[in-house]
Amino acid sequence: MLHIHFTEADLARTRLASEPDPLWEIALSLHRLQTRQGRSAHAEWYRTTRLRLADQGLEGVLRHLLLPVFPRAAYFPDFLTPTRGGQGLAAGLAALVDTPTDRVRREVRRFVAVRAPSWAPRLVERETRQDLANALRRYHEVALAPYRERTLARVEADRSVRGRALLAGGADGLLDGLGPQMRWDPPVLHVHYPAEERDLVLDGRGLTLVPSYFCWGPPISLADSALPPVLVYPVLREARPAAVDRPLGVLLGRTRAQVLRGTALGANTGELARLAGVSAPTVSQHISALRDAGLISSLRYGTSVLHTLTPLGAALLRGPDRPVSAMS
């Protein structure tokens, strides 16, 4: 269990990351390849990714380099998922390579004491870290980049849910709704955690919550409490019964029905395009049709337009005696 201790200053500085962190997604997708847990939720990704990795000749790199350095349910060095990963893949990989040698040596020593490949001590060499970064970049291109739009769609939907909780209940409401693996008992967030029992005292630094498409089960954090505090948690999963989808799809058409469902939590045009898997001009046509039919409304917010359900649209989407939300 991980116990995260907040002060009032920490609550004010707690934030949601705007996008998934590419290095955390790499690490957690590698975990998905090491277990059957969560396999059903990522079945298509698992099947197609293993084929693409084989086609690109990356099976050896995966088996001998990447999987050993990111063991599931065990410690791996924090410098492999640097804070700058939130600034994009290139920035994250550069930070990995540029990690100070003293820190690498300290974390590798801990890694070796727990569960590390025989070559792990060579990570103190910048050249070895550069080779690892190159392998991570290749893996990302093959395994994650093709799923970027789907990943962003799920993360954006999750952020919409969390954002509403924040607006309705402040930071307390946000933290209280993070379950089921987390329990908010002010001023402590108790997190079911695969590692040892420990406390993380934020001490005014705040906490960055990072939604992850590939995280499954317990959230994950950095092992070193002195580093900027982050908590990577699994996004909400879709729960769309086929029996409900078919009538709505027949009535509106599959894509238009997806767009209508996407507005249940509020979404902009780009988010709806990613969710439906169509271009922005195409989704704009569906939005116009749904708005003209009185099913959705659109409100300009800054440089974007937010689309939400009208009462009529909510009733159509809900059906008899069903909740509006399409999330679990």
Side-chain angles (χ1 to χ4, degrees):
M1 185 74 76
L2 172 65
H3 309 281
I4 305 177
H5 298 260
F6 289 76
T7 64
E8 289 187 5
D10 294 311
L11 290 174
R13 291 171 181 160
T14 293
R15 70 180 189 88
L16 275 169
S18 59
E19 291 189 355
D21 185 302
L23 286 174
W24 276 111
E25 292 301 272
I26 286 173
L28 293 167
S29 70
L30 289 167
H31 289 176
R32 301 282 64 77
L33 294 175
Q34 299 176 54
T35 177
R36 289 187 174 275
Q37 291 183 3
R39 181 70 56 84
S40 61
H42 300 96
E44 180 191 353
W45 172 84
Y46 179 86
R47 182 179 62 256
T48 58
T49 296
R50 294 307 296 252
L51 291 174
R52 283 197 296 267
L53 289 169
D55 289 343
Q56 296 297 318
L58 290 176
E59 284 187 315
V61 172
L62 178 70
R63 186 181 305 111
H64 301 298
L65 180 62
L66 300 184
L67 294 180
V69 84
F70 288 102
R72 188 185 72 86
Y75 171 82
F76 59 86
D78 288 331
F79 75 82
L80 298 176
T81 51
T83 304
R84 282 174 56 192
Q87 301 173 20
L89 180 63
L93 292 176
L96 186 160
V97 174
D98 292 338
T99 306
T101 303
D102 288 345
R103 176 184 166 188
V104 175
R105 184 176 291 110
R106 182 174 64 252
E107 293 184 6
V108 166
R109 189 181 301 121
R110 178 175 179 179
F111 192 25
V112 169
V114 179
R115 178 183 173 182
S118 59
W119 52 264
R122 290 167 45 201
L123 286 168
V124 298
E125 303 168 4
R126 181 184 177 87
E127 183 178 356
T128 300
R129 297 198 300 277
Q130 184 62 65
D131 289 342
L132 175 60
N134 293 339
L136 291 171
R137 183 181 293 106
R138 291 179 64 199
Y139 173 82
H140 185 276
E141 291 173 356
V142 174
L144 301 189
Y147 280 79
R148 174 174 169 76
E149 294 302 307
R150 180 178 303 185
T151 300
L152 286 177
R154 298 306 319 132
V155 167
E156 286 162 352
D158 184 273
R159 279 173 48 81
S160 294
V161 174
R162 309 303 179 188
R164 289 194 173 199
L166 181 64
L167 288 172
D172 278 294
L174 171 63
L175 295 172
D176 193 42
L178 287 175
Q181 300 283 350
M182 293 172 271
R183 177 173 57 85
W184 175 236
D185 184 14
V188 181
L189 180 65
H190 303 278
V191 182
H192 289 282
Y193 203 65
E196 72 280 0
E197 188 96 3
R198 70 186 184 97
D199 291 271
L200 172 58
V201 179
L202 299 179
D203 196 23
R205 296 174 294 170
L207 179 70
T208 299
L209 295 165
V210 183
S212 169
Y213 180 77
F214 287 101
C215 186
W216 185 267
I220 187 169
S221 184
L222 296 169
D224 187 349
S225 298
L227 294 171
V230 300
L231 187 66
V232 184
Y233 70 92
V235 296
L236 295 167
R237 301 293 164 182
E238 293 175 295
R240 296 174 179 169
V244 176
D245 282 358
R246 281 196 295 269
L248 191 61
V250 170
L251 177 65
L252 298 177
R254 179 176 176 275
T255 300
R256 193 163 294 175
Q258 286 182 311
V259 173
L260 181 65
R261 279 193 297 268
T263 61
L265 299 171
N268 61 38
T269 302
E271 293 167 352
L272 291 173
R274 279 191 284 271
L275 180 65
V278 298
S279 66
T282 298
V283 83
S284 294
Q285 295 176 8
H286 291 297
I287 290 170
S288 295
L290 292 169
R291 187 168 53 241
D292 290 345
L295 300 177
I296 68 173
S297 62
S298 302
L299 177 66
R300 180 165 294 281
Y301 181 76
T303 59
S304 64
V305 177
L306 182 68
H307 309 288
T308 59
L309 289 174
T310 64
L312 178 61
L316 177 63
L317 182 61
R318 181 167 59 244
D321 302 321
R322 290 187 181 274
V324 172
S325 177
M327 306 296 169
S328 58

